[in-house]
Amino acid sequence: MDIKVLYINLTDETFEIRVRNDLKRYLGGTGLAFQLFQEEAKIDREPLSEEQPVVISSGFLSPYFPTATKSIAIFFSPLNNNLGESHAGGRLSLALKLAGISALVIKGKCNSLKYLIINDGIVKFQTAEHLKGLKATETATYIREKESNAGLRSILRIGPCGEKKVAFSSVVVDTYRHFGRLGLGAQFGAKNLKALIVTGSGKEEPKPDNIKGYKELFEKLHKTVIGGSMKKYHELGTAENVTILNELKALPTKNLQENHFERIEEISGESLAEFSLTRKFACAGCPLGCIHIATVRRRFDKEEEWERVDISYDYELIYSLGTLIGIGDRTLLLSMMEKIEELGLDAIYAGVFLAWVVEAFKKGLINSEDIFVDSIDFGDYENLKTVLKNLVFKDNEFYILAREGVHKLTEKYGGGDFALLAFNNAIAGYHTGYANLLGQHIVGIRNAHTDNGGYSIDQSCRDINDIKFIIDKLYEEEIFRSAFNCTGICLFARKVYDIETLQQCINSLNIDFDTHDLMDLGEEIYLKKLAFKIKKGFNLKEYKFSKRFFETTAMGKSLDEALTYEGVKYFNEMVMEKMKRRGLLP
Amino acid sequence: MRKVLYAKYMTRCMGCMSCMLACSRRLRNSLSVAKSAIRVRTKGGYSSGQMTALHCLGCEEPPCINYCPRGALGKREKGGIKINVSLCDGCRECLKGCPVSAIFFDDEKNLPIFCIHCGNCVSFCPHNCLAIEELP
């Protein structure tokens, strides 16, 4: 199969498909997306300037193997003014393949608010002026009614926060899935792009030389996925970790002033499953189904007047919109998740932002005139919600800065010591130890917990304080995941798809690749991205962690600041040597 | 007595499309869900909570047969349609005859896609939403 890239110019409303078989060795997903991004990115220009590209690439194996459901977006992040990368499931990967497209490269800016329909490589530009200011949820409703090919399409859209170019706004994918991290929503907003629909006839598909072998491999993996090894993701889901991390005293609470939450029982995975879980959904091509849907029943009037809302939840949201901001009421927690979905925000960042606001307010760094609420505290649902809405509706200095991110607020108001940021990305819900800290802040290419699973390394190596050992483990895992993320297989299935299995899957689609090639590709992509980040200003020698990470104990131990910085130094020397060997040093 | 595919428990459906992938893979050696004879979709988006499966209901007197101008379609003994591919010229008239819009089309082969009620999709549904059932 050819690698077909659809280049779209929003300014001129033009498009073309280019066959890019020269990029075959990058497979798809993150590898292909980064190569395309690097070709088009204007490194000296502002992250949201219109010539900057947004690249979205379907995983190479999506949706040809069970759980291969991911698409990868690479773009300039308005949060870190550097490399942005975000992953999403839903139906997008499948829809891109139905359209016969490996990747999209979107540049320019629509002359008014528009949405695009991509059907078999043909792009239509439609006005979205009528959708201006609408919630991400409502936007999809109107598009769904108007456009065809239900069931075989994917609908991406932004909410009002994306339109306002809030740096931590998301792109909602097919309801309940998101390009959440690092501000792709702001890129869409800056491009006047309200939504994107991808569909196709599925005329082009791989034709395995050994179709019998392909089918056998697919069906073996299908059985493995549903047969038990990934069961926990389907049953309680990642929310299972809420109780576990809380007991380990590793669950960031009240802006990480604490490491466990006194009201955990009401918002634990067990509790949500017992009282609120009503359904599970899956991404297209995943028989596991990890998307947990809770139903909220809410009274909206004094009489017996009720409404119901279905909301997806998982571990990270319970952390960011629950423990981190002190919300221990199940209905309020789920309602906060609903608000995030409507506004179109990165749920993790939104929680980190609110937690910082509360602490800054309580410390007197900001006041009620700044935030347009009389007072605010942890657990104060109504005022926390109002602050989020004010991101869209208030234009004072505080909210103008807030739209750029918490780091901008700290420059003006102080409070950097308790901002839970990792190179301006919000930290995920773990305070487990050195591997988590270094994994998210330093090694992780997206500054995300899923880059290398540092939280998991901390839990399996609890008594290890050998910082070099930890960095080596993180690096090894990061490289594996770098290769893995070219395939589009969900990281939840990483233990099912070991490197040998990945090779078999790739080979079955007539691509000659061995395990060495794969790991080498993983390292090449990672080091290229890191070189890009460094060139754009990610300075390992001057990196500073917020004090808060060392003030609160992690799984019962205090983290030593000096030892952490030793880890940074060791990593810096290691990767500089590796980049030098590959000729990647700036 | 008909013995046909029945989307019995769609309230349990997760939208994973394993059924569609199985149909395409097993019946047509295809990796594309577009070749499937069953189509799962939402009714108004995932947040509506409603999933539906479009598939041949195995009508006792299938109206699609009479729409074929070349006499290529006939009744399967236990429900559903059999097609004589040598007679089909890909005119797509049969698609108009299905009261539930459950006949699809393979552009590559220029042939309509009919469910043969084989149960391959049933065996790949992780939530047992589908069944092959006898209907009166």
mmCIF file of all heavy atoms in Angstrom, chain A residues 119 143-144 146-150 153 197 199:
data_model
loop_
_atom_site.group_PDB
_atom_site.id
_atom_site.type_symbol
_atom_site.label_atom_id
_atom_site.label_comp_id
_atom_site.label_asym_id
_atom_site.label_seq_id
_atom_site.Cartn_x
_atom_site.Cartn_y
_atom_site.Cartn_z
ATOM 1 N N ASN A 119 -13.593 13.106 2.338
ATOM 2 C CA ASN A 119 -14.240 11.874 1.902
ATOM 3 C C ASN A 119 -13.424 11.285 0.756
ATOM 4 O O ASN A 119 -13.363 11.866 -0.328
ATOM 5 C CB ASN A 119 -15.674 12.178 1.435
ATOM 6 C CG ASN A 119 -16.474 10.907 1.198
ATOM 7 O OD1 ASN A 119 -15.904 9.825 1.054
ATOM 8 N ND2 ASN A 119 -17.788 11.029 1.146
ATOM 9 N N ILE A 143 -23.608 18.597 13.141
ATOM 10 C CA ILE A 143 -22.878 18.037 12.000
ATOM 11 C C ILE A 143 -23.384 16.633 11.672
ATOM 12 O O ILE A 143 -23.567 16.263 10.518
ATOM 13 C CB ILE A 143 -21.362 18.024 12.308
ATOM 14 C CG1 ILE A 143 -20.841 19.457 12.286
ATOM 15 C CG2 ILE A 143 -20.603 17.160 11.310
ATOM 16 C CD1 ILE A 143 -19.383 19.600 12.655
ATOM 17 N N ARG A 144 -23.634 15.877 12.711
ATOM 18 C CA ARG A 144 -24.128 14.511 12.549
ATOM 19 C C ARG A 144 -25.427 14.481 11.730
ATOM 20 O O ARG A 144 -25.621 13.630 10.875
ATOM 21 C CB ARG A 144 -24.386 13.924 13.941
ATOM 22 C CG ARG A 144 -24.063 12.470 14.081
ATOM 23 C CD ARG A 144 -24.293 12.036 15.511
ATOM 24 N NE ARG A 144 -23.139 12.244 16.341
ATOM 25 C CZ ARG A 144 -23.155 12.936 17.495
ATOM 26 N NH1 ARG A 144 -24.267 13.486 17.944
ATOM 27 N NH2 ARG A 144 -22.059 13.064 18.179
ATOM 28 N N LYS A 146 -26.424 16.686 9.588
ATOM 29 C CA LYS A 146 -26.276 17.254 8.239
ATOM 30 C C LYS A 146 -25.473 16.358 7.307
ATOM 31 O O LYS A 146 -25.769 16.283 6.116
ATOM 32 C CB LYS A 146 -25.590 18.622 8.376
ATOM 33 C CG LYS A 146 -25.240 19.327 7.107
ATOM 34 C CD LYS A 146 -25.977 20.656 6.995
ATOM 35 C CE LYS A 146 -25.482 21.489 5.815
ATOM 36 N NZ LYS A 146 -25.926 21.007 4.538
ATOM 37 N N GLU A 147 -24.477 15.687 7.836
ATOM 38 C CA GLU A 147 -23.548 14.966 6.963
ATOM 39 C C GLU A 147 -23.853 13.471 6.905
ATOM 40 O O GLU A 147 -24.481 12.927 7.796
ATOM 41 C CB GLU A 147 -22.103 15.202 7.440
ATOM 42 C CG GLU A 147 -21.700 16.664 7.510
ATOM 43 C CD GLU A 147 -21.803 17.382 6.166
ATOM 44 O OE1 GLU A 147 -21.746 16.701 5.124
ATOM 45 O OE2 GLU A 147 -21.957 18.619 6.168
ATOM 46 N N SER A 148 -23.345 12.823 5.847
ATOM 47 C CA SER A 148 -23.710 11.429 5.594
ATOM 48 C C SER A 148 -22.654 10.439 6.104
ATOM 49 O O SER A 148 -21.644 10.826 6.681
ATOM 50 C CB SER A 148 -23.896 11.231 4.085
ATOM 51 O OG SER A 148 -22.681 11.544 3.450
ATOM 52 N N ASN A 149 -22.929 9.166 5.830
ATOM 53 C CA ASN A 149 -22.013 8.052 6.129
ATOM 54 C C ASN A 149 -21.877 7.754 7.627
ATOM 55 O O ASN A 149 -20.783 7.419 8.108
ATOM 56 C CB ASN A 149 -20.633 8.293 5.505
ATOM 57 C CG ASN A 149 -20.170 7.045 4.750
ATOM 58 O OD1 ASN A 149 -20.948 6.107 4.581
ATOM 59 N ND2 ASN A 149 -18.926 7.018 4.327
ATOM 60 N N ALA A 150 -22.988 7.860 8.328
ATOM 61 C CA ALA A 150 -22.982 7.547 9.759
ATOM 62 C C ALA A 150 -22.413 6.157 9.997
ATOM 63 O O ALA A 150 -22.682 5.228 9.244
ATOM 64 C CB ALA A 150 -24.401 7.618 10.302
ATOM 65 N N ARG A 153 -17.593 7.088 9.884
ATOM 66 C CA ARG A 153 -16.962 8.405 9.857
ATOM 67 C C ARG A 153 -16.480 8.759 11.255
ATOM 68 O O ARG A 153 -16.911 8.171 12.239
ATOM 69 C CB ARG A 153 -17.965 9.463 9.367
ATOM 70 C CG ARG A 153 -19.108 9.657 10.331
ATOM 71 C CD ARG A 153 -20.190 10.586 9.815
ATOM 72 N NE ARG A 153 -21.260 10.693 10.793
ATOM 73 C CZ ARG A 153 -22.440 11.223 10.555
ATOM 74 N NH1 ARG A 153 -22.726 11.689 9.358
ATOM 75 N NH2 ARG A 153 -23.355 11.287 11.510
ATOM 76 N N ILE A 197 -14.483 16.230 9.551
ATOM 77 C CA ILE A 197 -15.148 14.923 9.423
ATOM 78 C C ILE A 197 -14.329 14.090 8.447
ATOM 79 O O ILE A 197 -13.984 14.575 7.361
ATOM 80 C CB ILE A 197 -16.581 15.076 8.886
ATOM 81 C CG1 ILE A 197 -17.375 15.954 9.826
ATOM 82 C CG2 ILE A 197 -17.273 13.739 8.718
ATOM 83 C CD1 ILE A 197 -18.061 17.063 9.139
ATOM 84 N N THR A 199 -14.212 10.454 6.383
ATOM 85 C CA THR A 199 -14.949 9.255 6.008
ATOM 86 C C THR A 199 -14.429 8.765 4.657
ATOM 87 O O THR A 199 -13.603 9.419 4.027
ATOM 88 C CB THR A 199 -16.468 9.517 5.972
ATOM 89 O OG1 THR A 199 -17.140 8.276 5.801
ATOM 90 C CG2 THR A 199 -16.860 10.473 4.849
#
